[in-house]
Amino acid sequence: MEFQNRSIISIRDFTREEINHVLNVSQTMEAVADVGTNVLKGKILATLFFEPSTRTRLSFEAAMQKLGGSTIGFNDADTSSTKKGETFVDTIRTVENYADVIALRHNLEGAAVVAKEYSKVPIINSGTGAQEHPTQALIDLYTIQKEKHQIDNLKIAIIGDLRYGRTVHSLARALTNYNVELFLISPEALRIQENILKEIKTKISVTEKQNLEEILPKIDVLYVTRIQRERFPDPAEYAKLKGTYRIDKKMLKTAKKDMIILHPLPRVDEIAPEIDQTPHARYFQQVKNGLHVRMAILSLILGTTK
C-alpha cells in the first residue's frame, strides 16, 4: 500500500485493505493525540474552504497541529483573491508553493479532480458539491468499527437527504467493501442518485424505503443526515421536505438496545436533543474520531507512517 504523496479524491480509490489500514493507523493516533508529537514539524497543511465548515476544517487543522505541523488557509472565499477574479486553478497553483498538502472544500462538483490535475502537492477532497466526502466516510467506518467491533454482518440504515448528501454517497460506496445489509430511507424526491444506486447494488444488499419504523427493529446502525437547504435549487422544494424525519425517544422504543446513531453534523431538527443522553447517540464521539482519522491520513500522506 502506497499512501505517501497520494491525493484522496474519492472513497472509490480505496481497497478494503487500504481502508482497514487507515482505520488501524487511526486507532494508534488516539494515544498520540493525547500527548502530541513533532513528526510533521516543518510541514504545512493548507485548508482552502470555499464553503463554510466547522468540524472538517477544524479537525484537519487540529490534526496537523497535534502532529507538530502548521496550517494556513481560509474559511471564506471572499477573503481570498478569488474575490478579485482569480481563477480556481491559479489559486491552487499559488497555494501549492506554500504547503505540503491541501485540504479542499468547494461547492462545485469536480473541483477536487481539477485541483489534483494542476497541483504538485496532494489534494484531500474535504467535500465537493453533492459529490463526495471521502475522509468523512473513513471517520464513519472507524466509528462503526470502534462501537460495534466489526463492520461485516451489520444492518445499516442511512436516512435523510440521499440525493444531495455527499457524506451519504461516500459512505454507501465505502460500505461496498464489507458484507453489510444497507437500507436507504428517504422521501421520493431525495432518493439516492440512480447511478450510485446501481453501483452499490452490484456489491451489497440494498433496500430502499420511505418509512423508517418498519425496519428500525432490525438495524444495528442508523446514520442520520439533514435535509440540506444549500443544495436545493428551489427553496420551495426544500420547505416542503424539511422536517420529513425526526428521531426522538418515542420513535426509538422499537430499536435494538445496542443500536447506534451517527450523524456527520451539523444537525438541524432531525435528531431531538433528548437523544443526546441516550446510549444510542454516538455522533459526538464521531466528531472526536474525526481528529484521529485525519491525523492518520496526514501522517500517511506526508510519509511519517507506513
Side-chain angles (χ1 to χ4, degrees):
M1 289 177 287
E2 184 55 55
F3 284 95
Q4 189 168 2
N5 294 320
R6 174 175 172 174
S7 290
I8 297 178
I9 306 301
S10 169
I11 199 67
R12 287 177 291 181
D13 300 332
F14 286 79
T15 64
R16 173 174 170 142
E17 183 185 19
E18 288 173 330
I19 290 173
N20 288 341
H21 184 60
V22 173
L23 304 190
N24 290 337
V25 174
S26 300
Q27 187 173 16
T28 70
M29 289 297 165
E30 294 199 14
V32 176
D34 289 339
V35 295
T37 178
N38 284 318
V39 293
L40 291 186
K41 185 177 181 180
K43 299 291 186 180
I44 296 175
L45 163 71
T47 53
L48 305 188
F49 279 58
F50 292 80
E51 278 190 327
S53 170
T54 300
R55 279 150 296 276
T56 303
R57 182 178 65 89
L58 292 182
S59 65
F60 263 120
E61 292 181 356
M64 192 64 176
Q65 292 174 34
K66 288 281 189 181
L67 293 166
S70 306
T71 64
I72 59 174
F74 55 79
N75 192 38
D76 181 353
D78 284 349
T79 65
S80 74
S81 288
T82 56
K83 183 74 173 176
K84 303 174 184 177
E86 181 174 69
T87 67
F88 173 68
V89 169
D90 281 1
T91 298
I92 295 298
R93 295 183 70 178
T94 296
V95 175
E96 69 179 6
N97 293 289
Y98 308 142
D100 301 284
V101 58
I102 296 172
L104 172 71
R105 171 165 290 191
H106 205 284
N107 61 310
L108 295 180
E109 297 187 12
V113 176
V114 173
K116 179 187 175 184
E117 182 180 343
Y118 286 94
S119 177
K120 295 174 184 174
V121 301
I123 299 292
I124 303 174
N125 179 359
S126 302
T128 46
Q131 195 172 33
E132 274 212 58
H133 196 344
T135 64
Q136 181 63 50
L138 293 168
I139 294 164
D140 300 337
L141 293 180
Y142 183 65
T143 305
I144 293 169
Q145 180 175 274
K146 186 175 178 181
E147 298 293 335
K148 305 299 291 183
H149 309 294
Q150 64 188 68
I151 300 174
D152 285 321
N153 303 315
L154 294 178
K155 291 179 171 62
I156 300 172
I158 306 178
I159 184 170
D161 181 357
L162 310 190
R163 179 174 181 80
Y164 299 111
R166 56 194 175 201
T167 62
V168 170
H169 303 159
S170 286
L171 178 57
R173 284 166 165 152
L175 287 170
T176 63
N177 290 282
Y178 299 89
N179 178 27
V180 300
E181 192 172 344
L182 182 61
F183 297 88
L184 300 175
I185 318 295
S186 70
E188 179 64 28
L190 294 178
R191 286 181 62 213
I192 198 165
Q193 296 168 24
E194 195 62 35
N195 64 312
I196 300 175
L197 182 62
K198 286 180 180 178
E199 177 187 336
I200 61 178
K201 266 191 166 181
T202 63
K203 299 173 183 176
I204 58 173
S205 168
V206 181
T207 303
E208 289 188 281
K209 296 279 185 183
Q210 292 189 28
N211 185 288
L212 174 63
E213 283 84 347
E214 60 183 283
I215 59 102
L216 186 59
K218 60 183 175 181
I219 63 174
D220 304 294
V221 179
L222 176 60
Y223 191 90
V224 184
T225 67
R226 68 187 171 95
I227 309 297
Q228 301 183 87
R229 179 178 55 190
E230 67 271 25
R231 305 282 172 223
F232 276 74
D234 182 359
E237 188 66 17
Y238 166 76
K240 246 192 318 187
L241 293 169
K242 71 174 183 176
T244 302
Y245 302 110
R246 179 173 167 83
I247 311 301
D248 55 25
K249 279 187 177 179
K250 183 180 178 182
M251 175 180 285
L252 294 184
K253 283 182 178 178
T254 61
K256 290 182 179 181
K257 288 183 179 178
D258 63 348
M259 182 200 75
I260 62 171
I261 299 175
L262 304 182
H263 192 308
L265 302 179
R267 65 174 162 179
V268 182
D269 57 2
E270 60 277 3
I271 298 179
E274 65 183 10
I275 299 298
D276 297 357
Q277 306 307 318
T278 71
H280 300 293
R282 290 294 187 279
Y283 28 90
F284 289 113
Q285 288 91 329
Q286 196 178 352
V287 171
K288 187 173 183 179
N289 292 338
L291 173 65
H292 306 137
V293 172
R294 289 182 171 124
M295 287 175 69
I297 289 166
L298 290 171
S299 65
L300 286 163
I301 288 176
L302 295 174
T304 58
T305 301
K306 294 296 183 184

